[in-house]
């Protein structure tokens, strides 16, 4: 594994977004996923001498792109967004489509389109490094709301996530773990116990609770557990 992932909590106490500074440790190439807020990202990068080359955008919402302009000015990084959501941004440099790959140093990511939260929401999937950046589509124990898409589109998008390998770890766009935690406490399965154990371990180490394996998420996230499309659509429309 040569992809290093540093979660940076942004808009703390307001939106509690996660930006991620990601580095290919072999080449030193660095990028930011969802530059929510410039200052904490700059602080992290500058203290380590990192100079991000790209900002990888999951979707166009302000709380995910608020730091783009300042970081672009400071580091000259290029903004990479889905062609669909790029129309909402004034400063996208590179647009990508479903299924395309994008290279950061020696590392390659695949773009997975997941309409629902926004029409052009994408996931950044680093298959070799088993990391998935899910923006506002998948959170710990929850999923994003529908701002632009339909419950059916969200269903399709979540099926794409469910089809990915269990050992892929995912990195959500917000710290929303608390929202699903009570459900986890009421869940008597071994998977729920393992999920809680991982959260506790990370808490003890002072690490943010991100990077949960998809296999556990599939077993514990109430939205991913639904296998019937009609049930999901009813449930989702009500939630
Ligand atoms: Zn959003
Ligand atoms: Fe958001």
């Amino acid at each position: 594994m040569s992809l290093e992932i540093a979660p940076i909590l942004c808009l703390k106490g307001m939106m509690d977004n996660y930006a991620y500074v990601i580095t290919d440790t072999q080449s030193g190439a660095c990028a930011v996923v969802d530059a929510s807020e410039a200052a904490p990202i700059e602080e992290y990068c500058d203290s380590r001498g990192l100079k991000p080359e790209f900002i990888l955008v999951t979707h166009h919402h302000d709380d995910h792109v608020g730091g783009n302009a300042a970081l672009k000015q400071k580091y000259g990084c290029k903004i990479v967004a889905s062609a669909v959501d790029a129309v909402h941004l004034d400063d996208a440099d590179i647009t990508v489509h479903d299924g395309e790959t994008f290279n950061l140093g020696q590392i390659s990511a695949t773009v997975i389109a997941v309409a629902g939260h926004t029409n052009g929401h994408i996931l950044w999937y680093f298959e070799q490094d088993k990391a998935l950046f899910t923006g506002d589509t998948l959170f710990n124990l929850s999923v994003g709301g529908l701002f632009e898409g339909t419950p059916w589109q969200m269903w399709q998008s979540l099926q794409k996530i469910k089809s990915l390998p269990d050992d892929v770890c995912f990195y959500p766009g917000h710290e929303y773990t608390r929202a699903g935690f009570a459900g986890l406490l009421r869940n008597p399965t071994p998977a729920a116990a393992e999920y809680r154990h991982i959260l506790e371990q990370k808490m003890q180490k002072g690490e943010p609770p991100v990077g949960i394996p998809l296999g556990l998420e599939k077993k514990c996230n109430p939205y991913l557990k639904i296998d019937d499309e009609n049930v999901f659509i009813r449930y989702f429309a009500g939630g």
Side-chain angles (χ1 to χ4, degrees):
M1 283 239 295
S2 54
L3 183 71
E4 200 173 271
I5 301 169
I8 315 278
L9 190 62
C10 295
L11 305 174
K12 207 173 165 180
M14 295 180 288
M15 306 291 282
D16 291 329
N17 281 68
Y18 281 118
Y20 297 94
V21 175
I22 61 173
T23 310
D24 169 18
T25 53
Q26 269 161 24
S27 69
C30 168
V32 179
V33 180
D34 279 358
S36 172
E37 185 189 12
I41 297 168
E42 283 176 36
E43 195 185 308
Y44 181 86
C45 290
D46 293 348
S47 68
R48 286 159 182 80
L50 296 170
K51 214 172 157 260
E53 291 171 39
F54 303 103
I55 296 174
L56 309 181
V57 177
T58 63
H59 68 292
H60 70 83
H61 284 163
D62 288 350
D63 59 313
H64 297 258
V65 301
N68 281 8
L71 295 180
K72 188 172 178 171
Q73 196 179 22
K74 176 164 179 168
Y75 301 109
C77 41
K78 293 202 159 39
I79 294 167
V80 191
S82 83
V84 179
D85 269 22
V87 299
H88 299 281
L89 308 173
D90 353 305
D91 52 4
D93 300 292
I94 300 169
T95 55
V96 292
H97 302 84
D98 188 31
E100 286 180 7
T101 55
F102 186 82
N103 292 330
L104 172 71
Q106 322 270 42
I107 288 180
S108 154
T110 305
V111 172
I112 302 177
V114 284
H117 183 72
T118 64
N119 287 330
H121 197 303
I122 54 175
L123 311 176
W124 291 95
Y125 178 36
F126 293 79
E127 187 175 358
Q128 300 259 297
D129 295 86
K130 302 208 164 285
L132 179 73
F133 294 89
T134 58
D136 283 359
T137 295
L138 181 68
F139 302 122
N140 285 359
L141 304 165
S142 180
V143 295
L146 294 176
F147 282 75
E148 296 172 12
T150 63
W152 185 79
Q153 282 177 313
M154 195 60 162
W155 163 260
Q156 299 283 75
S157 296
L158 295 181
Q159 300 323 295
K160 288 186 183 182
I161 293 176
K162 280 166 82 168
S163 75
L164 298 176
D166 286 352
D167 60 350
V168 168
C169 293
F170 82 100
Y171 297 84
H174 288 270
E175 179 39 54
Y176 287 166
T177 311
R178 201 174 51 231
F181 193 72
L184 204 57
L185 290 173
R186 287 195 304 267
N187 182 340
T189 64
E194 198 182 334
Y195 202 124
R196 286 204 309 268
H197 179 68
I198 290 178
L199 293 179
E200 273 158 31
Q201 274 186 324
K202 285 183 185 288
M203 232 156 57
Q204 272 169 18
K205 287 192 234 160
E207 292 173 5
V210 296
I212 300 292
L214 279 183
L216 269 188
E217 197 62 33
K218 291 176 202 174
K219 287 183 183 156
C220 297
N221 185 314
Y223 293 95
L224 297 187
K225 280 162 73 179
I226 299 172
D227 285 325
D228 181 313
E229 179 181 332
N230 295 315
V231 170
F232 174 86
I233 287 171
R234 278 203 306 275
Y235 185 83
F236 198 83

